[in-house]
Amino acid sequence: MKVNKLTAISLAISLALPLTVNAKTTNSQKESKAEQVKETSGNKALLHGGFSCEGEVLTPIYTIQGDGASSPFVPDDVYESTEEYVTKGIVTARAESLYKGFFIQDAKGDGLASTSDGIFVHWGESAPDDIQPGVEVCVKGKVKEYYGFTQIDLKNDQKVDIGKMVGELPATPIHVEMGETLAQALERVEGMKVVLDIDSDMKVTRTFSFDNSTYRNNMVLSHQAPLMKATQVHQPLSAEAIALNDANLLNQLFIDTDIKAPAGVVPYFPGFNAETGYIRINDQVINLEGVIGYSDDQYRLLPINELTSKDFIRKNDRQKAPAIANLGDIRVSSFNVLNFFNSEFGGDKNPLGHNRGATIEAEMLLQRAKIVNAMVAMNADIIGLMEVENNGFGKLSAIQNLLNALNAKLPKEQAYQFVELAAADKAKGKFVGNDAISVGLFYRPAVVSLDGKAQMIITPEQHAKAGAVTRMNGGVEELSPAYDKYQRHSLMQTFWVNEQKLTIVVNHLKSKGSGCLEDWISFNEDSEPADLQGKCNAFRVSAAQVIGEAVKGLDGDVLVMGDLNAYGKEDPLAVLTDYDSATTERVIRTASWTTLDGVAHQTQGSTIDKGYGLINLSTQAHGPETYSYSYNGELGNLDHALGNSSLAKRVVAVEDWHINAVESNLFEYSSKYTGELAKSENAFSSSDHDPVIIALEYPQVATEKDNRAGSLGYLALMLLTALGLGRRKV
């Protein structure tokens, strides 16, 4: 069956990689090459394989392309035409590497927007040097739909008649018409030389970074706005979530290169750097020229020119400090610090002996400097940490190492301390649970004070022996493999803030990557679940239930925050907030075969009836389209701030400070894939998650002395407000 490129499943990735000319070729090099072509060809055609275009019946490129997703010359249920066709065009780009061949385009076209005037010619190896941009060529071969990419195939019989140099063709702007998808607009220009102009309205939805599908660095654009994760804004498996996910798949244009980009280099943007030449998600890209190819189920623009920083129109530029850094009476923040480890550099060992962070000390010092600079700018009075090495609280621990570096940048009155578990609550008398990483808490003693000891909320584990459950696969009963899954424990501490109680719970739930027993039962052990919530969703629901029970009925204000590894409308968030089984058809279940603190917990799992009533503070402040993380070109919130009703009334402002999620991970501390790219100690790309900051109003409780002050106190407050020093609420 012929593959429709808008819905095709990718095959033979190694043979379907994108192509382009070397984008680093200078204009003088192009001109020199063109002169060589003129000297060798002149006005005489160069014949390859004894083929001459003279006397042949020409079929225009636009006729071969047609106005559909595939060529009208390729019959249904096959991949190539039964006959060979002769066509002529001007070379627009060479392909020097994985897709060996070249692009040609009809010089005049048919004037119809519905048909492409360009096409790729597959040569099978590097095409002759005579075939250069601006040269007219005539080719004869079968029309092929190669995994959805329409092309003329000359691999087995290279019939080409190379004409003279006539000059390069102008680029056609990409425009998405009303009512069509980006994919439909790109199909209309497949194989053509195009340009992104201001009206193309193409935004960065994944900045230049590693593409796991093709194992190379590239960038992804989308039309009008960056893509939002469907389950960030819609309930899983709802019609709206399914529609948004489908729309996202049709709203992607990969900016790729034929020659694999060297580590740390953006071939079409030589000015790429950590201080001034950055690329952020939501930047609009203009003036980029290239040809449109198709591979690995994606349309790809293969650049033929170079950009400068002026070609990236900033829609959401860097902010050196959060907008709310000085709002409210106190500020609370969560910060995933991207595996801050020091055990390899003289620090204590974690319980697993694994190093997930920096591999050389210079990287660790850079990572620490970036995190510290971000924390200083945040100016939070309480900071919840995720992904700090779980190597205790001693002088050689990672949390002490980070604390020392942070306090060294601050005056004594702004210094922090960390919250430490009681010895009886520590695993082996030292650790927060038994993972290599843990959560933690920094606080400013000058602003808040501890109310009693910290408590650890032990989260469920999943332990299922091999054969614990079965499934039917094609009429055959299969036994489940063994599963042993763990989650980081949560940390709970109550503070006094101006004589009022505030309880903070810092969390880092199970990741979406590796599967749990429920994924095997649903045949999702090797694929993304249909509900788009990632692997181990029910396991995270189990943790959310335990956390909800732990905070239910607590006195005072409660703030549950951290990396829940669940987007805004996913089940763990629903359980902690406003889920009600009586008002929705969605059924939420916990995981099976779980234990809690070594004791059997839920062998069969359970159905959730009602959520725990916490309020999603980011959603309350900004609506559902908030984000702190980017994955696979889609934005969403994995880092949350959930408050009880009394705390929600104290909220002055909430901010996801976008210093990480929208930046290239090439600016992070690791040098593994970045080559000679210079690094910076600035706060940007200090992690892969954005800090979430909450400004809260905690006015001092009035005393008898304050009451006697009467109008004098009121006048003082009015004076502070006039000077801009009072609390501000947004």
Side-chain angles (χ1 to χ4, degrees):
M1 185 175 72
K2 182 166 58 179
V3 178
N4 183 324
K5 67 190 64 178
L6 301 184
T7 58
I9 298 176
S10 173
L11 297 173
I13 293 177
S14 63
L15 297 177
L17 293 173
L19 341 157
T20 187
V21 297
N22 188 340
K24 295 182 74 68
T25 301
T26 64
N27 289 332
S28 60
Q29 288 173 324
K30 287 182 180 179
E31 291 169 2
S32 175
K33 195 70 175 180
E35 289 300 322
Q36 292 176 28
V37 172
K38 286 182 180 179
E39 290 175 9
T40 56
S41 62
N43 293 321
K44 284 184 64 177
L46 297 180
L47 307 181
H48 287 261
F51 171 71
S52 172
C53 196
E54 188 174 348
E56 294 281 356
V57 177
L58 293 177
T59 303
I61 293 172
Y62 46 78
T63 303
I64 293 172
Q65 282 279 13
D67 59 4
S70 57
S71 171
F73 293 101
V74 180
D76 291 339
D77 302 325
V78 297
Y79 296 98
E80 66 178 9
S81 62
T82 56
E83 300 179 16
E84 292 186 325
Y85 294 88
V86 179
T87 193
K88 181 184 290 188
I90 309 300
V91 177
T92 54
R94 288 175 58 88
E96 304 287 358
S97 185
L98 298 174
Y99 246 20
K100 294 179 173 63
F102 52 94
F103 290 78
I104 61 173
Q105 185 168 324
D106 191 280
K108 294 183 179 179
D110 61 358
L112 299 177
S114 59
T115 54
S116 172
D117 298 327
I119 198 166
F120 176 68
V121 179
H122 183 224
W123 188 263
E125 55 185 328
S126 294
D129 287 343
D130 311 287
I131 297 177
Q132 293 291 329
V135 171
E136 185 177 58
V137 299
C138 181
V139 299
K140 183 176 183 178
K142 288 186 176 181
V143 181
K144 180 178 285 189
E145 287 293 334
Y146 187 74
Y147 297 99
F149 188 19
T150 306
Q151 55 189 249
I152 304 293
D153 189 7
L154 304 185
K155 181 178 180 180
N156 296 325
D157 191 4
Q158 295 168 337
K159 299 176 181 177
V160 60
D161 187 348
I162 304 176
K164 61 183 179 179
M165 170 67 72
V166 297
E168 296 192 36
L169 296 178
T172 300
I174 292 178
H175 289 159
V176 181
E177 303 297 337
M178 186 73 69
E180 72 174 350
T181 66
L182 175 62
Q184 290 169 330
L186 294 173
E187 173 60 26
R188 294 191 286 103
V189 293
E190 181 198 57
M192 290 180 62
K193 182 180 178 180
V194 298
V195 63
L196 304 181
D197 65 9
I198 193 70
D199 294 326
S200 300
D201 202 7
M202 297 297 294
K203 307 291 176 54
V204 176
T205 194
R206 177 169 66 74
T207 189
F208 191 83
S209 55
F210 190 72
D211 179 4
N212 288 299
S213 65
T214 56
Y215 294 95
R216 52 174 45 220
N217 288 330
N218 55 30
M219 183 171 68
V220 184
L221 308 183
S222 55
H223 183 235
Q224 294 186 327
L227 305 180
M228 186 67 63
K229 175 73 175 178
T231 51
Q232 171 63 32
V233 291
H234 300 298
Q235 187 183 85
L237 290 179
S238 65
E240 294 84 356
I242 293 170
L244 179 55
N245 185 64
D246 290 345
N248 285 352
L249 293 174
L250 299 176
N251 191 13
Q252 300 179 61
L253 173 60
F254 281 64
I255 310 301
D256 222 322
T257 53
D258 173 43
I259 308 298
K260 188 175 182 179
V265 174
V266 184
Y268 47 87
F269 182 32
F272 183 68
N273 69 81
E275 292 289 350
T276 59
Y278 49 86
I279 304 171
R280 284 167 61 91
I281 290 174
N282 205 27
D283 285 353
Q284 182 174 355
V285 181
I286 59 173
N287 299 325
L288 182 62
E289 294 187 6
V291 288
I292 297 294
Y294 186 86
S295 61
D296 199 31
D297 287 344
Q298 298 293 346
Y299 289 94
R300 300 178 186 269
L301 188 151
L302 314 173
I304 58 176
N305 70 331
E306 293 182 347
L307 300 180
T308 69
S309 293
K310 294 180 180 179
D311 297 315
F312 295 90
I313 302 175
R314 311 291 183 197
K315 299 295 182 180
N316 180 23
D317 208 351
R318 288 176 169 179
Q319 301 296 322
K320 292 184 178 180
I324 69 171
N326 295 297
L327 295 187
D329 295 300
I330 69 165
R331 287 153 303 283
V332 182
S333 173
S334 73
F335 197 176
N336 183 316
V337 295
L338 188 57
N339 293 313
F340 178 72
F341 276 55
N342 75 326
S343 56
E344 292 294 305
F345 319 108
D348 290 333
K349 299 299 181 183
N350 64 70
L352 298 182
H354 296 171
N355 177 33
R356 302 181 187 176
T359 56
I360 58 176
E361 190 169 15
E363 291 180 352
M364 186 274 283
L365 295 175
L366 173 64
Q367 179 186 22
R368 190 179 69 185
K370 293 176 77 67
I371 293 169
V372 165
N373 286 333
M375 287 182 172
V376 169
M378 287 190 317
N379 193 31
D381 302 296
I382 300 172
I383 305 175
L385 304 173
M386 291 110 253
E387 293 194 20
V388 64
E389 185 171 15
N390 185 24
N391 58 350
F393 299 89
K395 292 181 179 180
L396 300 180
S397 65
I399 196 168
Q400 183 70 65
N401 186 296
L402 184 58
L403 181 74
N404 291 344
L406 176 59
N407 284 341
K409 293 278 246 179
L410 296 168
K412 289 184 178 180
E413 62 271 15
Q414 293 182 15
Y416 293 89
Q417 291 183 11
F418 57 68
V419 170
E420 183 173 357
L421 285 172
D425 293 329
K426 296 175 183 175
K428 300 179 181 179
K430 184 175 182 179
F431 306 114
V432 182
N434 293 299
D435 198 357
I437 56 175
S438 67
V439 297
L441 264 172
F442 286 167
Y443 70 99
R444 281 175 168 158
V447 180
V448 300
S449 59
L450 303 182
D451 177 39
K453 299 289 186 181
Q455 299 179 52
M456 188 165 62
I457 302 175
I458 297 174
T459 53
E461 300 175 2
Q462 185 178 66
H463 299 289
K465 294 181 180 179
V469 297
T470 63
R471 70 183 184 187
M472 296 302 295
N473 188 2
V476 177
E477 185 179 62
E478 295 179 334
L479 300 178
S480 63
Y483 279 89
D484 291 292
K485 295 294 178 178
Y486 304 86
Q487 303 193 69
R488 271 80 51 176
H489 298 323
S490 299
L491 181 65
M492 181 165 66
Q493 175 68 60
T494 300
F495 296 90
W496 286 105
V497 188
N498 289 337
E499 300 183 40
Q500 297 153 93
K501 278 189 175 182
L502 167 62
T503 298
I504 302 290
V505 183
V506 187
N507 310 273
H508 188 191
L509 302 190
K510 176 72 176 69
S511 69
K512 294 172 173 283
S514 61
C516 291
L517 179 60
E518 285 69 26
D519 298 299
W520 182 87
I521 294 171
S522 302
F523 294 90
N524 292 316
E525 65 267 40
D526 297 318
S527 61
E528 170 74 5
D531 64 8
L532 305 176
Q533 297 191 86
K535 307 290 180 60
C536 290
N537 179 61
F539 195 37
R540 287 188 292 277
V541 168
S542 294
Q545 183 185 51
V546 169
I547 294 164
E549 288 294 323
V551 302
K552 185 173 66 176
L554 287 178
D555 292 335
D557 303 328
V558 176
L559 177 60
V560 175
M561 66 181 186
D563 181 359
L564 301 183
N565 269 310
Y567 291 105
K569 294 293 185 179
E570 293 184 357
D571 294 346
L573 269 295
V575 169
L576 287 168
T577 57
D578 58 358
Y579 177 75
D580 187 345
S581 62
T583 61
T584 179
E585 295 181 357
R586 178 155 187 81
V587 177
I588 299 179
R589 291 186 60 83
T590 60
S592 58
W593 295 95
T594 55
T595 64
L596 194 61
D597 200 14
V599 178
H601 181 52
Q602 293 182 338
T603 303
Q604 299 301 320
S606 64
T607 301
I608 302 292
D609 293 322
K610 199 169 182 63
Y612 289 91
L614 298 175
I615 297 167
N616 190 322
L617 302 179
S618 290
T619 300
Q620 177 181 260
H622 306 296
E625 292 192 356
T626 62
Y627 61 90
S628 65
Y629 190 71
S630 173
Y631 180 73
N632 230 16
E634 295 178 321
L635 293 169
N637 252 337
L638 294 181
D639 308 270
H640 299 277
L642 312 176
N644 64 0
S645 58
S646 64
L647 181 120
K649 294 174 183 177
R650 297 186 182 276
V651 173
V652 175
V654 181
E655 182 176 358
D656 296 294
W657 185 27
H658 299 312
I659 57 174
N660 298 321
V662 298
E663 294 274 350
S664 172
N665 56 19
L666 298 185
F667 297 146
E668 292 171 3
Y669 67 87
S670 175
S671 58
K672 187 174 181 180
Y673 299 112
T674 60
E676 300 300 317
L677 181 66
K679 303 286 186 171
S680 169
E681 292 187 354
N682 64 28
F684 304 101
S685 292
S686 52
S687 176
D688 53 347
H689 293 246
D690 288 330
V692 180
I693 307 164
I694 310 99
L696 298 169
E697 193 171 42
Y698 275 95
Q700 290 187 348
V701 177
T703 65
E704 184 177 347
K705 182 178 180 181
D706 291 332
N707 290 334
R708 288 199 301 268
S711 60
L712 180 60
Y714 175 77
L715 288 172
L717 178 61
M718 291 296 291
L719 179 59
L720 286 172
T721 303
L723 293 173
L725 301 176
R727 293 184 302 274
R728 289 183 287 160
K729 194 158 185 172
V730 296

